[in-house]
Each structure stands twice: as C-alpha cells, then as structure tokens.
C-alpha cells in the first residue's frame, strides 16, 4: 500500500465510505440469505424509515452491491438481492461485527470515562459568577 492510500480517489477510501454509512452494512447483512422485499427488510431491520431504506437501497444499487428485481406479473412488487460483488462485502462486515462483539464493552467504557460528569450550567435564576 502506498502512502497515498487514503486520498479521495483511492480504492481503500471507497470501501471505508461504504462501510461508514450505518445502514449500508445493515441492509447488506439483511440480504445475506436471499432476496427480500422492502417491507420485509424494514421489518427485519427495525429502526429504519421507508425513505432511508429506499435511499440506502438506491446507493447500494448504484455501487453495484444490490440488484433490484421487479416481479413481471406485478410490476409494483419489487425485491432486492445481493450481487456477486455485494456478497464479497459480507466478509468485511462480518469482521467488523466480530470486532464489535469482542471489544464493544471496552469502547463503551472508554466513552463513559471520557464523557465524565455532565457539565452543570447555571439556571437563569442563579447569579452569574463572572459578574459578581
């Protein structure tokens, strides 16, 4: 790997951009067992709006990771499935998930230690010490 590995047009940065979007990995993982319709994805994932799911599926399709299939008998029925390229992205997602499972508690503990007690702001009824 060269020292220019993380420049804007670098392939590694492209992969990190795909991984950094929370919903990309979640949707790809949800499609690992085969094609699913948007309503099935939304129910299986939970916490994702229809709008965000649609945007995510379009982004994944644009990047060649997901195929959209319309039912020829009912054109309003569509399903999504991983492409061969999308299947290759499951291994990095699985690796990140395994890391999170192993080290998630440590990260949470570090976050809690770094945040410390919440800062206390004087209420409007208390005198401002800087003017006293």
């Amino acid at each position: 790997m060269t020292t220019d590995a993380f420049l804007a047009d670098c392939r590694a940065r492209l992969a990190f951009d795909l991984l950094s979007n929370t919903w990309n990995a979640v949707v790809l993982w949800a499609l690992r067992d085969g094609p699913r319709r948007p309503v099935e994805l939304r129910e299986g994932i939970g916490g994702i709006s229809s709008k965000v799911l649609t945007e995510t599926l379009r982004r994944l399709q644009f990047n060649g990771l997901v195929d959209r299939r319309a039912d020829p008998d009912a054109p309003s029925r569509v399903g999504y499935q991983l492409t061969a390229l999308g299947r290759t992205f499951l291994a990095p997602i699985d690796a990140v998930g395994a890391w999170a499972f192993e080290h998630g508690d440590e990260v949470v503990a570090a976050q809690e230690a770094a945040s410390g007690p919440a800062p206390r702001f004087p209420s409007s009824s208390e005198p401002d010490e800087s003017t006293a």
Side-chain angles (χ1 to χ4, degrees), residues 9-106:
D9 60 347
C10 161
R11 300 297 189 249
R13 186 164 171 185
L14 170 71
F16 285 117
D17 285 344
L18 288 169
L19 266 177
S20 68
N21 179 291
T22 302
W23 295 114
N24 284 353
V26 172
V27 170
L28 289 171
W29 194 255
L31 289 169
R32 74 190 179 284
D33 294 326
R36 296 185 65 187
R37 297 185 58 225
V39 69
E40 295 169 326
L41 286 169
R42 208 171 75 245
E43 289 171 359
I45 292 169
I48 187 170
S49 69
S50 295
K51 178 183 179 221
V52 171
L53 177 59
T54 298
E55 290 169 353
T56 302
L57 288 165
R58 286 180 182 161
R59 181 174 44 256
L60 294 171
Q61 188 178 6
F62 174 80
N63 284 291
L65 302 174
V66 167
D67 271 339
R68 179 182 186 271
R69 303 284 175 153
D71 184 341
D73 297 328
S76 62
R77 290 187 94 176
V78 297
Y80 292 88
Q81 64 186 16
L82 294 175
T83 62
L85 180 61
R87 289 212 162 277
T88 67
F89 210 58
L90 292 176
I93 292 169
D94 188 43
V96 171
W99 182 90
F101 184 78
E102 185 175 339
H103 300 287
D105 291 339
E106 296 170 66

